Amino acid sequence: MKSFKNHISLVIALVSILFSLQIFTIVDRSIDAYKENLAKNYSLVIVSQKTVQNKDMLNKIKELASIEELSPDSVIQKLNTGISQKNIELLKVTLPKFYKFKLKKYPTPAKLEKIKKLLLQYPYITKVETFSNTHDTTYKLLLLFKNVISVLAVLILLVTILLIFKELRIWQFKHYERMNIMGLFGAPTWLRSAVLFRLSIVDAFIAFGISFVVFSYFSSSIWIAEQFENIGISVVVFDKIYDSLLMLGVSIVVSILLASFIVLGHKEEV
Amino acid sequence: MDKVIIAENLSLAYSKDETIINKANFSIDSGSFVFITGASGSGKSTLLKSLYGSLKPIEGSLVVGGVELRGVANAKLNFLRKHLGIVFQDYKLVKEWTIEKNIMLPLIINGYEKSIIQSQVDSLLKHVRLKHQSGKYPLELSGGEQQRVAMARALAHNPILILADEPTGNLDDYSSQLIWNLLEGANEQLKTTVIVVTHHIPEAMKIEYKHYHIEFGDIHEVI
Ligand SMILES: Nc1ncnc2c1ncn2[C@@H]1O[C@H](COP(=O)(O)OP(=O)(O)OP(=O)(O)O)[C@@H](O)[C@H]1O
Ligand SMILES: [Mg+2]
């Protein structure tokens, strides 16, 4: 019971740090996945007097993913009342060409503006339609969502830091006497603080273990998978290797920092 | 004869406006047995604190075991402290350790082997008559018993200098005699220098000793 109490408060603080970190990661991934999704459905329409050299264009403008010529047939079909076949052929030649440009990533409004300028530098490109109004709204919505989540994550972090500082004082008080006495008998710093570092590393592993189990459960949860499916994206909730290593690293670094603060702040009483 | 302690113009203070020891001069021969007396509040514990480097001199010089303690570096102080055996007036036992572990502390710090540590601790526990209590924690012992644990800890690593602050303050005549015998034994057999703060110098001292008295911030020998 006593040793349980020794561990619980630091473990809680560490777990809450790891949770906010992982949730932030998940949101970040969802937004990226959503952006990709948007990029897939988003395209620019270009009007050109000449056939566009696909390879050239793709090389010059790195943001482009693909170029697709829009066939004018459907437009011509509509005009197809009383026009002779010969005239239609003529029309086909004189009519400008229409292209659909797809982008690799969903662009920021600034980037979109840049791409548009680049395209208009070609003398034969007469018009670039970016559908910027709809684009702007979607983009702003996405940013808002990300900002709200970031603010939340920062708030959780602040609360956790407060928790950790409170814990720091308790630890300082609890370990002070023993460290002081060991120092009076000439124990070097590493020996005086060995218990402290052992405790904090054990706590780091416990906190990591708890977070690992919880997020492993989440990542296999059908309900959560359904939520992502509903907005048409698939997200890695918990990468058992990459995310695990990150969590373990953060957990150990934070608890070792905490222990170091105590060791560095230790002063012998007179 | 070698000097284990040399104090020149030594002044000690906790704050600028009140010096406890004022420009004292004294030296202590290696291998001697010294009693320090003085009224309550005269500065006996303060002097001991300066000898183990907790309280740095504000003036003058203080050399203990060849180490100048005024402005001493941590590593050097740790080195000196490894060779001191201190009995504190308030014992300073580690509450979360058994008394056995408490006695082991200086042996662990000095890097002794496990088997040597165990046999040394066993024999010390026997000497201070606490063998049957070895697994208990300090707060489960009486004041006098805790004092004996502190004594055993101070002797554990055969220090070159023992500093004991009223080591019999809480003990009955029988236990007091036990402590005096241990200190005399260390002094006689191991040539350990012993400095003891006390209010009563025992009448039945079998060995030669010196007596210093602290009064009005000064330390002088009583002959
Ligand atoms: N940590 C401290 N901070 C400030 N002043 C202190 C401190 N410790 C002791 N003093 C003051 O220093 C003076 C000497 O104290 P010291 O403990 O050396 O007395 P002592 O001779 O050991 O007395 P006693 O026989 O009662 O143990 C006292 O006036 C005391 O108030
Ligand atoms: Mg005292």
Side-chain angles (χ1 to χ4, degrees):
Chain A
M1 192 58 211
K2 197 178 148 206
S3 71
F4 176 73
K5 261 195 190 157
N6 277 343
H7 289 288
I8 192 70
S9 39
L10 180 62
V11 168
I12 288 176
L14 287 174
V15 164
S16 90
I17 286 185
L18 296 184
F19 267 55
S20 54
L21 179 79
Q22 188 60 25
I23 286 172
F24 190 74
T25 308
I26 294 172
V27 168
D28 205 48
R29 277 181 196 152
S30 320
I31 286 177
D32 277 350
Y34 193 65
K35 265 191 190 173
E36 227 170 81
N37 214 7
L38 283 175
K40 258 187 231 152
N41 297 324
Y42 176 77
S43 49
L44 308 173
V45 172
I46 271 93
V47 184
S48 171
Q49 301 300 339
K50 234 174 74 182
T51 308
V52 168
Q53 297 302 309
N54 287 10
K55 262 205 181 138
D56 258 24
M57 190 67 85
L58 286 174
N59 276 338
K60 283 240 173 66
I61 303 176
K62 293 277 174 300
E63 287 84 358
L64 295 182
S66 68
I67 296 175
E68 187 190 327
E69 188 173 350
L70 294 171
S71 143
D73 287 353
S74 61
V75 183
I76 292 165
Q77 213 78 83
K78 278 187 187 157
L79 302 170
N80 198 5
T81 40
I83 298 175
S84 69
Q85 193 59 36
K86 201 177 157 200
N87 279 344
I88 284 177
E89 289 302 320
L90 197 70
L91 197 61
K92 261 192 185 173
V93 177
T94 47
L95 214 62
K97 297 194 179 308
F98 293 88
Y99 290 94
K100 204 159 107 182
F101 281 26
K102 287 214 176 256
L103 301 177
K104 284 179 189 153
K105 270 196 205 143
Y106 194 65
T108 62
K111 184 139 246 172
L112 199 55
E113 208 45 44
K114 201 189 113 201
I115 296 171
K116 186 176 174 180
K117 269 205 188 111
L118 273 175
L119 287 170
L120 285 173
Q121 271 169 11
Y122 291 88
Y124 47 87
I125 293 181
T126 53
K127 194 167 168 52
V128 176
E129 178 54 62
T130 58
F131 308 101
S132 65
N133 264 344
T134 0
H135 172 267
D136 271 11
T137 321
T138 318
Y139 194 80
K140 277 179 186 152
L141 217 67
L142 217 61
L143 272 186
L144 179 72
F145 181 59
K146 192 167 179 172
N147 286 343
V148 166
I149 295 291
S150 304
V151 167
L152 274 179
V154 168
L155 278 181
I156 293 174
L157 211 69
L158 275 177
V159 170
T160 311
I161 287 172
L162 285 181
L163 250 165
I164 289 216
F165 269 101
K166 188 175 146 256
E167 190 56 16
L168 190 90
R169 308 201 98 197
I170 296 171
W171 269 39
Q172 218 150 16
F173 181 75
K174 204 160 61 190
H175 295 281
Y176 178 81
E177 192 190 47
R178 189 192 61 249
M179 288 170 70
N180 199 46
I181 293 172
M182 291 177 86
L184 288 171
F185 281 89
T189 310
W190 68 264
L191 186 60
R192 267 190 305 219
S193 38
V195 177
L196 207 59
F197 281 106
R198 204 166 53 218
L199 252 167
S200 55
I201 288 176
V202 167
D203 286 6
F205 273 96
I206 295 176
F208 164 71
I210 292 173
S211 313
F212 182 86
V213 169
V214 170
F215 280 102
S216 294
Y217 169 75
F218 281 169
S219 73
S220 63
S221 148
I222 294 169
W223 185 81
I224 286 180
E226 268 174 4
Q227 303 309 304
F228 284 119
E229 233 167 74
N230 283 344
I231 42 174
I233 53 175
S234 88
V235 169
V236 181
V237 171
F238 183 61
D239 181 335
K240 285 216 168 75
I241 295 167
Y242 175 79
D243 291 354
S244 285
L245 285 178
L246 188 71
M247 269 186 177
L248 189 59
V250 167
S251 190
I252 289 178
V253 166
V254 169
S255 59
I256 283 186
L257 269 180
L258 179 63
S260 308
F261 271 130
I262 294 175
V263 172
L264 292 178
H266 180 85
K267 268 214 157 115
E268 188 172 300
E269 88 181 326
V270 183
Chain B
M1 207 177 228
D2 270 359
K3 305 285 187 192
V4 70
I5 295 169
I6 304 165
E8 281 166 0
N9 261 328
L10 174 67
S11 293
L12 300 173
Y14 293 98
S15 66
K16 278 191 190 115
D17 29 272
E18 194 192 4
T19 48
I20 311 290
I21 301 291
N22 201 5
K23 299 193 173 147
N25 288 287
F26 63 93
S27 64
I28 288 173
D29 293 333
S30 154
S32 57
F33 198 113
V34 177
F35 285 110
I36 293 173
T37 57
S40 179
S42 60
K44 304 183 294 297
S45 300
T46 304
L47 176 66
L48 288 195
K49 274 181 211 168
S50 76
L51 295 179
Y52 56 76
S54 243
L55 186 66
K56 307 281 190 314
I58 57 158
E59 197 188 349
S61 118
L62 177 62
V63 178
V64 177
V67 178
E68 168 61 70
L69 291 181
R70 192 164 172 201
V72 67
N74 274 340
K76 207 155 195 192
L77 184 57
N78 280 342
F79 176 78
L80 172 66
R81 284 175 174 179
K82 280 188 190 178
H83 300 289
L84 303 181
I86 314 171
V87 182
F88 301 93
Q89 193 167 12
D90 55 355
Y91 319 144
K92 293 203 193 298
L93 301 176
V94 179
K95 285 200 282 290
E96 61 266 32
W97 290 353
T98 62
I99 63 167
E100 200 173 40
K101 174 106 193 254
N102 268 285
I103 295 171
M104 282 178 188
L105 178 63
L107 296 165
I108 294 171
I109 291 171
N110 277 284
Y112 281 86
E113 248 178 67
K114 262 210 172 105
S115 60
I116 295 176
I117 292 179
Q118 196 56 54
S119 69
Q120 177 75 343
V121 169
D122 284 344
S123 107
L124 282 162
L125 280 168
K126 235 179 275 159
H127 280 306
V128 294
R129 308 281 144 89
L130 288 171
K131 189 94 191 92
H132 54 294
Q133 313 262 42
S134 67
K136 283 196 174 173
Y137 292 87
L139 294 180
E140 298 169 345
L141 301 182
S142 74
E145 285 168 331
Q146 290 180 44
Q147 196 156 31
R148 281 182 279 156
V149 175
M151 188 73 230
R153 180 179 61 181
L155 292 168
H157 50 307
N158 297 331
I160 56 160
L161 171 62
I162 291 177
L163 303 169
D165 202 343
E166 301 192 29
T168 61
N170 256 315
L171 301 179
D172 57 23
D173 289 348
Y174 172 80
S175 293
S176 297
Q177 196 50 54
L178 207 94
I179 296 295
W180 295 128
N181 290 343
L182 283 170
L183 288 173
E184 283 179 58
N187 179 251
E188 261 185 329
Q189 284 148 35
L190 302 168
K191 299 283 166 269
T192 310
T193 311
V194 178
I195 297 178
V196 186
V197 167
T198 186
H199 285 290
H200 307 284
I201 296 177
E203 276 143 34
M205 282 297 287
K206 294 189 276 292
I207 56 172
E208 237 184 88
Y209 63 86
K210 288 195 170 177
H211 176 192
Y212 286 87
H213 191 71
I214 301 184
E215 207 172 17
F216 310 123
D218 189 37
I219 303 169
H220 57 266
E221 194 174 349
V222 180
I223 308 173

